[in-house]
Amino acid sequence: MRMTSVTPVATSERVLYVLACIARHGKAMAARDLVEETGLPLSTIYRHLGVLKKWGWVQEHAHSGMYEPGPLAVQLAHGFDQHSWLMQAARGEIEQLVARSGESVGLLCYADGQVICLDMQESKQALRCSFAKGRANSTVRGASAKALLAFLPEATRQHLLTQHNESSDATLHNTDNDALAAVLARIRQQGFATSENEIDDGVWGVSAPIFSGKNQLIATLSLMAPAQRATTRHNDFIHMTVAAAHRVSQQLQE
C-alpha cells in the first residue's frame, strides 16, 4: 500500500516499513519497486536498505541485484516457531486435529492488513491448497479470513472492508459489503466460519477463532479438505475445529 498523507509512516518507522514490504512481497524486490510500494524517495529507500543489509535483515541477490529477506530473518522465524506462546499452545492441538480428521490444518493470524499463515500441517491425503507457512492471504475471502475479520475490532474491520470494496478483488469475486457484513455477523453468533471454492476450487474449509486474555482475537485454527471428501463430515469437522480452537484459547488464558 502506497504511503499517503492520510496514512503517514513516522520517520522512525520507515526502515521497518521497507522491511515489512520486502517480507510480505513473497519474492525479491527491486529498489524502484519499493519506491512504488512505499512512496518514499529512491535515496531514502537505498539508505534504509543499507541499514537492513548491514544487520542481516535483507540481502541483495547476487545476480539480479534485487532485495530479499536476509539470514537474520531465519533466526527470527526460528525463534518464533520454537518460543512463541501461541505456537506452543497450538502445536499439539493442530497435530491432534490432523490425526483425528485426516485433513490439513493451518494456524493463521491478522497482522497489518494481512492474513498470514503461521503454521500448516498437511494430511497424508492429497490437497491442492494455497495456504503455506509464511504466505499472506486474502483478508476477505475464505473461512480463515472471515473468521478473523468477524472478530477484529470494528474500526479495523470497517477499514478492511472499505479497502476491499475499492479493490479489483471485490469486482472479480462480485462481493457486496452489506452481504459480507451479514455473513460476518452470523459468524460472530455461531463462533466459526465455513467456505467452499473461495480460495481454491474444490476445497472446503472451517475456521474458528482463538482468543487470549480479555477476549482478544489472536488467530484462527482452520481445517481444509477436498469438498467432495468433506461433504458427509461437515458437522464433525466443525465440531472438532471449534473444540480445538477453544482448548488453545483456554491455554492462552491460564
Side-chain angles (χ1 to χ4, degrees):
M1 178 173 59
R2 180 185 293 275
M3 183 179 64
T4 69
S5 58
V6 178
T7 56
V9 175
T11 302
S12 60
E13 297 178 0
R14 287 178 178 175
V15 65
L16 297 176
Y17 188 31
V18 172
L19 179 60
C21 288
I22 294 172
R24 67 165 61 103
H25 193 63
K27 57 184 179 180
M29 297 184 74
R32 292 193 179 277
D33 292 334
L34 285 162
V35 171
E36 179 68 21
E37 182 73 16
T38 66
L40 297 172
L42 185 60
S43 59
T44 301
I45 292 293
Y46 277 124
R47 183 168 68 253
H48 292 324
L49 286 171
V51 173
L52 293 169
K53 284 172 61 179
K54 175 183 175 182
W55 283 90
W57 288 111
V58 164
Q59 63 185 11
E60 191 172 355
H61 194 279
H63 302 296
S64 69
M66 300 176 81
Y67 296 89
E68 58 196 12
L72 209 61
V74 178
Q75 284 188 322
L76 193 65
H78 177 74
F80 180 82
D81 278 347
Q82 297 301 312
H83 305 295
S84 162
W85 45 272
L86 172 59
M87 297 297 285
Q88 290 179 339
R91 187 169 289 119
E93 290 293 342
I94 292 173
E95 291 173 353
Q96 289 184 39
L97 187 53
V98 171
R100 291 181 60 200
S101 68
E103 303 298 347
S104 299
V105 177
L107 180 70
L108 297 97
C109 77
Y110 170 81
D112 191 29
Q114 301 180 95
V115 172
I116 302 173
C117 183
L118 301 177
D119 196 11
M120 183 71 187
Q121 294 191 26
E122 298 182 0
S123 73
K124 295 180 180 179
Q125 305 182 72
L127 177 68
R128 295 184 61 184
C129 178
S130 297
F131 289 98
K133 188 173 181 176
R135 182 178 294 172
N137 301 276
S138 170
T139 56
V140 172
R141 289 188 295 117
S144 302
K146 287 187 173 72
L148 286 167
L149 193 59
F151 292 96
L152 283 171
E154 178 67 19
T156 304
R157 180 165 57 252
Q158 290 304 321
H159 175 69
L160 290 172
L161 289 175
T162 299
Q163 278 191 330
H164 171 70
N165 197 44
E166 295 171 350
S167 72
S168 59
D169 192 53
T171 303
L172 179 64
H173 295 279
N174 194 29
T175 54
D176 176 78
N177 273 10
D178 290 337
L180 185 55
V183 170
L184 297 178
R186 186 168 66 250
I187 291 169
R188 285 192 295 275
Q189 183 178 30
Q190 66 190 16
F192 64 88
T194 61
S195 66
E196 187 170 332
N197 301 323
E198 286 193 29
I199 301 293
D200 297 290
D201 289 339
V203 175
W204 178 90
V206 55
S207 186
I210 294 171
F211 300 96
S212 67
K214 298 182 179 179
N215 209 35
Q216 180 183 0
L217 177 70
I218 296 297
T220 59
L221 194 63
S222 301
L223 181 151
M224 290 148 277
Q228 187 174 7
R229 196 163 69 219
T231 300
T232 60
R233 300 193 66 191
H234 284 178
N235 289 338
D236 286 343
F237 288 159
I238 290 170
H239 175 75
M240 284 189 282
T241 303
V242 170
H246 179 66
R247 288 192 294 271
V248 176
S249 296
Q250 286 183 314
Q251 290 185 60
L252 296 178
Q253 293 168 17
E254 289 177 352

